[in-house]
Amino acid sequence: MLFMADTQQADEQVETVAGAAAGKRAGRHTAKLAREIRAFAGTHGGSAEGQLAHIGRGRIRIALVGADGEWGNLVADTLESAKAAAEQAGLTLQDDFDGDLAARVRTGRYEWSRMAGIQVGGRANA
Protein backbone atom coordinates (compact mmCIF):
# COMPACT_ATOMS: atom_id res chain seq x y z
CA MET A 1 0.00 0.00 0.00
CA LEU A 2 1.40 3.41 -1.03
CA PHE A 3 0.81 6.44 1.11
CA MET A 4 0.52 9.99 -0.21
CA ALA A 5 4.16 10.80 0.60
CA ASP A 6 5.37 7.64 -1.19
CA THR A 7 3.30 8.45 -4.29
CA GLN A 8 4.62 12.00 -4.41
CA GLN A 9 8.21 10.81 -4.13
CA ALA A 10 7.66 8.24 -6.92
CA ASP A 11 6.15 10.96 -9.15
CA GLU A 12 9.16 13.20 -8.52
CA GLN A 13 11.54 10.36 -9.45
CA VAL A 14 9.65 9.74 -12.72
CA GLU A 15 9.79 13.47 -13.56
CA THR A 16 13.53 13.56 -12.81
CA VAL A 17 14.21 10.58 -15.09
CA ALA A 18 12.02 12.05 -17.86
CA GLY A 19 13.74 15.41 -17.51
CA ALA A 20 17.18 13.81 -17.73
CA ALA A 21 16.19 11.92 -20.90
CA ALA A 22 14.83 15.11 -22.45
CA GLY A 23 18.05 16.90 -21.52
CA LYS A 24 20.15 14.21 -23.22
CA ARG A 25 18.02 14.47 -26.39
CA ALA A 26 18.37 18.24 -26.37
CA GLY A 27 22.13 17.93 -25.92
CA ARG A 28 22.39 15.51 -28.85
CA HIS A 29 20.24 17.80 -31.01
CA THR A 30 22.45 20.79 -30.14
CA ALA A 31 25.62 18.83 -30.93
CA LYS A 32 24.15 17.70 -34.27
CA LEU A 33 23.25 21.28 -35.18
CA ALA A 34 26.78 22.41 -34.30
CA ARG A 35 28.26 19.69 -36.55
CA GLU A 36 25.96 20.73 -39.40
CA ILE A 37 26.90 24.40 -38.99
CA ARG A 38 30.62 23.53 -39.05
CA ALA A 39 30.11 21.31 -42.12
CA PHE A 40 28.21 24.09 -43.91
CA ALA A 41 30.93 26.62 -43.12
CA GLY A 42 33.66 24.21 -44.23
CA THR A 43 31.93 23.55 -47.52
CA HIS A 44 31.20 27.21 -48.24
CA GLY A 45 34.45 29.09 -47.89
CA GLY A 46 35.58 28.05 -44.44
CA SER A 47 33.34 30.33 -42.40
CA ALA A 48 29.73 31.38 -42.04
CA GLU A 49 27.54 33.91 -40.31
CA GLY A 50 24.01 33.37 -39.12
CA GLN A 51 20.85 34.87 -37.77
CA LEU A 52 18.25 33.34 -35.47
CA ALA A 53 14.53 33.80 -36.04
CA HIS A 54 11.49 32.38 -34.25
CA ILE A 55 9.35 30.42 -36.75
CA GLY A 56 6.53 29.25 -34.50
CA ARG A 57 5.76 26.67 -31.83
CA GLY A 58 9.01 27.47 -30.07
CA ARG A 59 11.16 26.46 -33.04
CA ILE A 60 14.05 28.60 -34.22
CA ARG A 61 15.43 29.00 -37.74
CA ILE A 62 19.19 29.31 -38.01
CA ALA A 63 19.80 31.12 -41.30
CA LEU A 64 23.36 30.55 -42.51
CA VAL A 65 25.39 32.52 -45.05
CA GLY A 66 28.73 31.04 -46.06
CA ALA A 67 31.82 33.06 -46.94
CA ASP A 68 31.14 32.19 -50.61
CA GLY A 69 27.59 33.62 -50.46
CA GLU A 70 25.76 30.30 -50.41
CA TRP A 71 22.97 30.11 -47.85
CA GLY A 72 20.98 27.54 -45.99
CA ASN A 73 18.71 26.99 -43.01
CA LEU A 74 18.64 24.72 -40.00
CA VAL A 75 15.86 24.41 -37.43
CA ALA A 76 16.43 24.15 -33.69
CA ASP A 77 13.87 22.99 -31.13
CA THR A 78 14.57 25.88 -28.76
CA LEU A 79 16.31 29.25 -28.71
CA GLU A 80 18.75 27.92 -26.11
CA SER A 81 19.68 25.01 -28.38
CA ALA A 82 20.18 27.32 -31.37
CA LYS A 83 22.41 29.68 -29.39
CA ALA A 84 24.41 26.82 -27.90
CA ALA A 85 24.92 25.19 -31.31
CA ALA A 86 26.04 28.49 -32.82
CA GLU A 87 28.51 29.00 -29.98
CA GLN A 88 29.86 25.43 -30.22
CA ALA A 89 30.34 25.82 -33.98
CA GLY A 90 31.97 29.26 -33.70
CA LEU A 91 29.18 30.83 -35.77
CA THR A 92 29.04 34.62 -35.74
CA LEU A 93 25.41 35.64 -35.14
CA GLN A 94 23.89 38.82 -36.54
CA ASP A 95 20.88 40.56 -35.00
CA ASP A 96 19.05 40.93 -38.33
CA PHE A 97 19.07 39.35 -41.75
CA ASP A 98 19.57 42.59 -43.60
CA GLY A 99 22.33 44.96 -44.62
CA ASP A 100 25.73 43.34 -45.03
CA LEU A 101 24.55 39.80 -44.30
CA ALA A 102 21.72 39.90 -46.86
CA ALA A 103 23.99 41.58 -49.41
CA ARG A 104 26.38 38.61 -49.27
CA VAL A 105 23.69 36.05 -50.16
CA ARG A 106 24.13 34.64 -53.63
CA THR A 107 20.94 33.51 -55.31
CA GLY A 108 20.69 31.49 -58.48
CA ARG A 109 18.19 30.86 -61.25
CA TYR A 110 16.24 28.39 -59.06
CA GLU A 111 15.64 30.91 -56.25
CA TRP A 112 14.61 33.67 -58.64
CA SER A 113 12.16 31.39 -60.46
CA ARG A 114 10.67 30.25 -57.13
CA MET A 115 10.38 33.79 -55.76
CA ALA A 116 8.73 35.11 -58.90
CA GLY A 117 6.76 31.98 -59.78
CA ILE A 118 3.36 33.30 -58.81
CA GLN A 119 3.85 36.79 -60.23
CA VAL A 120 5.67 36.04 -63.49
CA GLY A 121 4.66 33.06 -65.57
CA GLY A 122 3.47 30.99 -62.65
CA ARG A 123 0.10 29.42 -62.07
CA ALA A 124 -2.68 31.85 -61.34
CA ASN A 125 -3.98 31.92 -57.79
CA ALA A 126 -7.23 29.99 -57.61
Side-chain angles (χ1 to χ4, degrees):
M1 174 183 265
L2 288 176
F3 295 101
M4 183 68 143
D6 295 334
T7 303
Q8 184 177 3
Q9 184 178 9
D11 289 344
E12 289 171 0
Q13 288 173 346
V14 168
E15 289 173 9
T16 301
V17 170
K24 285 181 183 179
R25 275 193 307 276
R28 285 192 305 267
H29 180 68
T30 299
K32 180 181 178 196
L33 287 171
R35 284 192 306 274
E36 290 174 339
I37 292 168
R38 283 190 297 272
F40 176 88
T43 304
H44 297 289
S47 65
E49 291 187 51
Q51 190 264 337
L52 305 180
H54 181 262
I55 57 174
R57 295 190 182 206
R59 302 196 37 123
I60 305 296
R61 175 185 67 138
I62 306 170
L64 301 168
V65 179
D68 64 357
E70 292 294 322
W71 60 279
N73 290 301
L74 295 171
V75 177
D77 293 333
T78 65
L79 180 60
E80 294 78 20
S81 180
K83 286 181 178 180
E87 184 177 329
Q88 288 175 21
L91 182 68
T92 301
L93 290 175
Q94 303 296 327
D95 292 331
D96 297 307
F97 197 90
D98 61 3
D100 291 337
L101 185 61
R104 284 196 300 272
V105 172
R106 226 178 49 198
T107 54
R109 176 178 221 104
Y110 172 78
E111 287 85 8
W112 282 102
S113 67
R114 295 289 297 160
M115 288 187 274
I118 293 173
Q119 294 83 6
V120 180
R123 294 185 313 129
N125 289 331

